[in-house]
Amino acid sequence: MTTIRQKNVQSAQWSPNGEALGTLDLTKDKNNPFGANVFSAAVQKDRLKGDTFKQLQSTLEQGEALDPSLADEVAEAMKEWALERGATHYTHVFQPLTGLTAEKHDSFFEPDGTGRAVADFSGKELIQGEPDASSFPTGGVRATFEARGYTAWDPTSPAFILENPNGALLCIPTAFASWTGEALDAKIPLLRSMDALSESAIGALRLLGDEKSNRVFTTIGAEQEYFLIDEHYYFDRPDLVTTGRTLFGAKPPKGHELDDHYFGSIEPRILACMLETETELRKLGVPVKTRHNEVAPGQYEIAPIFENSNVGSDHQQLTMQMMRSVARRYGLVCLLHEKPFAGVNGSGKHNNWSMGTDTGHNLMEPGDTPADNVSFLFFCAAVIQAVNKHQGLLRASVASIGQDHRLGANEAPPAIISIFLGAELEKVFAAIESGEGDPHTPGSFLELGASVLPPLPMHGGDRNRTSPFAFTGNKFEFRAVGSSASLAFPNTVLNTIVAEAIDDLAGKLKQKLEGGGDLAAAVAEVVKESYSANKAILFSGDNYDEAWHAEAVERGLKDLKTTPDALPEVLAEPTVEMFDKYAVLSERELESRYEVWLEQYIINANIEAETAHDIAKTMILPAALRHLELCANSGLPGVGQETSALAAKLLAAIGELEQANVYPDGVEGMELALHARDKQIAAMAGVREIADQLEKTIPNELWPLPKYSEILFVR
Ligand code: ADP
Ligand code: MG
């Protein structure tokens, strides 16, 4: 198994289509070599004319637009390749605003008029598709424009074949836009943000003396947490089936406080499922590499080697899809909900983020020469400034109804965004700020002269697992992302806010340099100013500690606890201004996202509340009544009193939930979201509290739902 080099990353690692990763020997399985089902650069090279291949490659490398005249030849080669591999259909895969992946299948075969069929796939069909846009949420963008949307081929994310026992499907990653060019999906803004960041970073690199780099790529590697449970339990729980989480369930006697699960051995069935998932993913060119048990029972993690943001984000969608479908082959169900079990650790998706040049320089790598240090400190300061300025937006970028149960629930970072730098790096910044050397570091800062920047610590060393945004040696790890989330928007935000901060710092640096200053000294000054102004966002203590909430508020940091609290940040003035300036999202596009996300919150809360009501009324209450009957028949005085009292309370709580589930007249938008949060979700919690007590008084054989102790521990 090849391990990724964390230092001195070769340019190949930053290849925009993730292709270079294919050269890593990630598998010993000769029948299923890495990327076997990917229309990779190697396949393209074999099958395209030399010129076409070169033009396509330069499109990929430089992020240029594709020459449409190439499309027919590429389409023909792609079709031949796909047919040879058994594909009968092709699909434009895209990511509507729901955060899911959508596809519409078309057959390659068309009747030829003689009763036979010919395989046909033109450049036009490759480049553009027209799904029925009306069935996807657009947050009103489409209403005043044409009702149609179209998918456009994204040549920077490689096409691949999804196998199925009964056939195979050629999948073409695409962007989804309205005819007026407005982004109806998650991919377009991400691509735009990558362009924005590249331009800003290249500008700054020139000032910093880098004349060689021409493109900067942002990279992501996501550590995905998930649960695997036996499907029998799943199908016996209407709440899991319809909402992805348990709406009822008392805490099991044996819980995750027994940490024998963490990094413990993996049960054979689970391991078999993981191995097959990994094999499938490798065939699709997804470079997955790690697996271990997570903290909670039944919880695991999978992580890929990082790729550029676009490919990494597409691959992450594919990973979730594969995890779900392979699990079923083993009689398991993969739960990607952020909090499937109350009182048990939830699942996140740590979004490791960095940026690197096409010459192979990871800009978040401290490096061991002073020149690297200058550049690292500059870009690191930009990240700090960006996160501080747009903390609310970052919080909003990970908001969802599932997250509301996870963030701050004692196993995940709170809803307050802060940065952990690590003690050594903090020392370096503090020394730059004060202009005074750290007596413990030999040869360090004595003056803000040319020698101000000593070698930096190579790796952050210490870790803080409670931080929502931590520097981890050569990348930042955005840990607040939810397990079911698409990575596209959080990374769109990261890229754009950092682009903005880089431009701001570069402008200041330029001024100082025009004044005829030394580069290192000028950078030190810029870093010092920015650090001083933004250091309130740094926090190295325990983020799970209650005291942090009070301190954060005192510092003026935002504590946006729930989705309705966070979403308005999407339309806040600094957000709108920035996205507009970098042409990543127009105000209309932002409004549409706000509306779609708010609507999803309302709809999901309602589905949960209705499901909770049904289960309580038609499963749990009857179980209580049966128990009471049993008690009455026993003739023993006093028996069943507890159940009786709880049943009465449950009846009342169900009544309250029933009322909450009726929407007040004329209420919509944010007001309705607040109704959902403060009335429906609150009433649901009320019902649950009583039901969970009943679970402990009613005989096992009468209890209608599989219990946590079964679901989590029986594999
Ligand atoms: P750790 O969290 O212990 O540092 P790893 O080194 O295994 O763990 O990295 C965790 C994740 O971070 C992996 O998915 C990895 O690919 C990703 N990662 C590593 N370097 C980068 C980078 N430069 N940019 C983005 N992600 C990265
Ligand atoms: Mg990690």
Side-chain angles (χ1 to χ4, degrees):
M1 185 105 166
T2 311
T3 52
I4 191 93
R5 280 152 300 173
Q6 299 285 18
K7 288 209 293 173
N8 305 325
V9 174
Q10 298 301 305
S11 60
Q13 296 292 354
W14 307 105
S15 169
N17 56 0
E19 203 50 62
L21 294 164
T23 61
L24 296 180
D25 179 21
L26 282 156
T27 173
K28 294 193 178 71
D29 183 352
K30 292 285 176 280
N31 297 323
N32 296 306
F34 184 76
N37 283 346
V38 181
F39 192 63
S40 62
V43 176
Q44 291 167 27
K45 197 168 180 194
D46 280 352
R47 290 171 179 261
L48 294 172
K49 283 199 219 102
D51 272 3
T52 313
F53 175 70
K54 270 192 207 132
Q55 281 184 51
L56 190 56
Q57 285 305 303
S58 88
T59 301
L60 305 186
E61 272 154 30
Q62 294 310 321
E64 289 159 5
L66 182 81
D67 178 351
S69 68
L70 298 180
D72 274 329
E73 204 196 321
V74 177
E76 183 63 23
M78 204 187 271
K79 180 193 79 184
E80 289 302 320
W81 171 78
L83 291 176
E84 281 167 31
R85 301 196 69 83
T88 51
H89 288 67
Y90 68 92
T91 176
H92 279 195
V93 183
F94 59 102
Q95 293 165 37
L97 299 181
T98 51
L100 304 171
T101 302
E103 38 191 68
K104 171 182 178 254
H105 299 189
D106 282 301
S107 173
F108 279 122
F109 296 95
E110 283 181 15
D112 68 353
T114 70
R116 294 186 189 159
V118 289
D120 194 33
F121 184 55
S122 66
K124 193 175 160 290
E125 285 162 309
L126 165 65
I127 286 192
Q128 196 166 301
E130 209 179 318
D132 179 12
S134 61
S135 50
F136 298 103
T138 60
V141 160
R142 242 191 12 245
T144 49
F145 288 84
E146 286 198 70
R148 287 186 302 176
Y150 70 96
T151 52
W153 178 37
D154 169 16
T156 60
S157 186
F160 56 91
I161 287 177
L162 267 189
E163 291 174 322
N164 179 285
N166 297 330
L169 177 67
L170 170 66
C171 298
I172 302 162
T174 59
F176 182 41
S178 73
W179 282 103
T180 47
E182 278 169 310
L184 298 177
D185 73 348
K187 181 190 272 277
I188 295 173
L190 178 60
L191 288 168
R192 290 175 185 160
S193 75
M194 290 167 71
D195 283 346
L197 182 128
S198 180
E199 200 180 323
S200 302
I202 288 293
L205 282 168
R206 291 286 181 272
L207 289 177
L208 294 164
D210 175 340
E211 295 294 336
K212 290 210 184 91
S213 306
N214 287 311
R215 174 100 192 160
V216 168
F217 293 104
T218 49
T219 50
I220 48 180
E223 298 161 78
Q224 167 85 55
E225 292 173 343
Y226 61 100
F227 282 84
L228 286 175
I229 63 167
D230 191 285
E231 67 182 10
H232 291 104
Y233 298 133
Y234 177 81
F235 289 116
D236 277 348
R237 300 260 342 194
D239 46 0
L240 274 179
V241 174
T242 48
T243 72
R245 75 178 180 106
T246 54
L247 300 173
F248 298 96
K251 220 180 153 191
K254 182 187 176 199
H256 57 287
E257 59 278 1
L258 288 176
D259 48 24
D260 55 350
H261 181 78
Y262 196 44
F263 285 110
S265 67
I266 298 174
E267 299 77 2
R269 172 161 64 139
I270 302 288
L271 185 60
C273 174
M274 286 175 167
L275 290 171
E276 185 162 333
T277 306
E278 290 182 14
T279 303
E280 293 289 356
L281 286 169
R282 279 198 299 264
K283 281 197 267 178
L284 296 172
V286 182
V288 284
K289 68 161 191 170
T290 60
R291 90 181 80 83
H292 57 72
N293 288 1
E294 268 303 321
V295 180
Q299 193 187 32
Y300 311 92
E301 179 181 302
I302 185 170
I305 292 173
F306 66 91
E307 300 177 279
N308 84 58
S309 303
N310 179 36
V311 176
S313 161
D314 282 0
H315 278 170
Q316 180 56 216
Q317 295 293 108
L318 203 50
T319 300
M320 291 193 284
Q321 186 183 336
M322 269 300 149
M323 287 163 64
R324 281 199 169 106
S325 73
V326 173
R328 297 303 312 283
R329 296 178 203 163
Y330 290 86
L332 298 165
V333 172
C334 172
L335 302 180
L336 290 170
H337 194 281
E338 283 73 20
K339 193 77 176 179
F341 305 99
V344 175
N345 278 6
S347 303
K349 174 146 58 193
H350 293 179
N351 183 96
N352 292 273
W353 176 95
S354 186
M355 45 189 169
T357 66
D358 54 352
T359 57
H361 178 199
N362 178 356
L363 300 178
M364 292 287 104
E365 174 77 59
D368 43 20
T369 64
D372 286 344
N373 287 352
V374 171
S375 142
F376 169 78
L377 288 172
F378 177 88
F379 288 110
C380 192
V383 174
I384 297 170
Q385 176 169 318
V387 172
N388 187 36
K389 176 169 177 192
H390 293 287
Q391 46 181 288
L393 176 60
L394 272 173
R395 163 66 183 97
S397 79
V398 300
S400 72
I401 192 161
Q403 285 276 82
D404 289 359
H405 301 286
R406 184 181 87 97
L407 293 179
N410 238 20
E411 83 258 359
I416 308 159
I417 300 292
S418 67
I419 300 179
F420 173 76
L421 275 187
E424 294 200 66
L425 217 49
E426 270 188 27
K427 239 195 271 170
V428 170
F429 276 104
I432 291 177
E433 188 186 26
S434 68
E436 278 165 27
D438 171 4
H440 303 298
T441 312
S444 80
F445 323 85
L446 291 172
E447 60 194 47
L448 279 180
S451 59
V452 284
L453 306 167
L456 296 175
M458 282 309 298
H459 287 101
D462 52 338
R463 294 253 162 159
N464 181 332
R465 302 227 164 257
T466 69
S467 173
F469 201 94
F471 181 69
T472 48
N474 57 359
K475 61 191 185 283
F476 277 94
E477 196 170 325
F478 187 19
R479 301 210 184 97
V481 184
S483 51
S484 69
S486 152
L487 291 181
F489 191 62
N491 285 284
T492 300
V493 168
L494 269 175
N495 296 345
T496 315
I497 65 177
V498 173
E500 182 194 52
I502 289 174
D503 278 345
D504 180 57
L505 297 189
K508 290 175 178 151
L509 180 61
K510 198 165 170 212
Q511 268 185 355
K512 294 199 197 291
L513 291 174
E514 276 163 4
D518 165 78
L519 178 65
V523 170
E525 274 177 53
V526 170
V527 168
K528 173 184 169 162
E529 283 163 22
S530 174
Y531 176 81
S532 292
N534 294 290
K535 66 182 178 186
I537 195 78
L538 302 177
F539 180 62
S540 52
D542 181 359
N543 282 260
Y544 299 175
D545 192 346
E546 265 309 308
W548 168 232
H549 290 248
E551 187 184 334
V553 169
E554 226 163 81
R555 288 187 188 194
L557 299 182
K558 294 189 174 170
D559 186 1
L560 305 167
K561 288 192 187 339
T562 66
T563 300
D565 296 322
L567 283 183
E569 294 287 329
V570 172
L571 295 178
E573 209 178 298
T575 307
V576 175
E577 233 168 58
M578 171 191 69
F579 277 132
D580 180 62
K581 176 176 171 201
Y582 289 92
V584 169
L585 284 162
S586 68
E587 189 163 5
R588 280 182 59 80
E589 288 170 327
L590 280 172
E591 274 166 4
S592 71
R593 276 150 187 79
Y594 171 82
E595 271 172 41
V596 170
W597 293 334
L598 196 64
E599 191 180 29
Q600 281 192 322
Y601 177 84
I602 295 165
I603 290 174
N604 285 321
N606 191 51
I607 292 174
E608 287 193 355
E610 297 271 4
T611 307
H613 174 260
D614 278 5
I615 293 176
K617 191 164 175 173
T618 65
M619 296 173 85
I620 296 175
L621 187 62
L625 298 180
R626 246 172 279 141
H627 182 214
L628 289 178
E629 201 182 326
L630 228 110
C631 295
N633 291 342
S634 76
L636 288 174
V639 82
Q641 265 176 6
E642 208 181 343
T643 300
S644 169
L646 286 170
K649 280 195 202 166
L650 183 67
L651 200 57
I654 290 173
E656 273 171 42
L657 180 55
E658 215 159 274
Q659 277 186 357
N661 284 352
V662 178
Y663 284 166
D665 275 345
V667 167
E668 53 180 46
M670 181 53 85
E671 237 186 301
L672 194 50
L674 294 176
H675 170 84
R677 185 189 71 184
D678 301 335
K679 296 285 183 327
Q680 288 185 289
I681 294 177
M684 240 197 310
V687 170
R688 177 181 190 144
E689 199 189 318
I690 301 156
D692 288 357
Q693 290 174 43
L694 274 168
E695 186 184 320
K696 293 185 166 161
T697 69
I698 292 181
N700 242 330
E701 57 179 31
L702 293 183
W703 191 250
L705 298 166
K707 297 184 176 183
Y708 277 18
S709 50
E710 299 165 292
I711 305 175
L712 288 168
F713 293 101
V714 179
R715 285 185 281 278

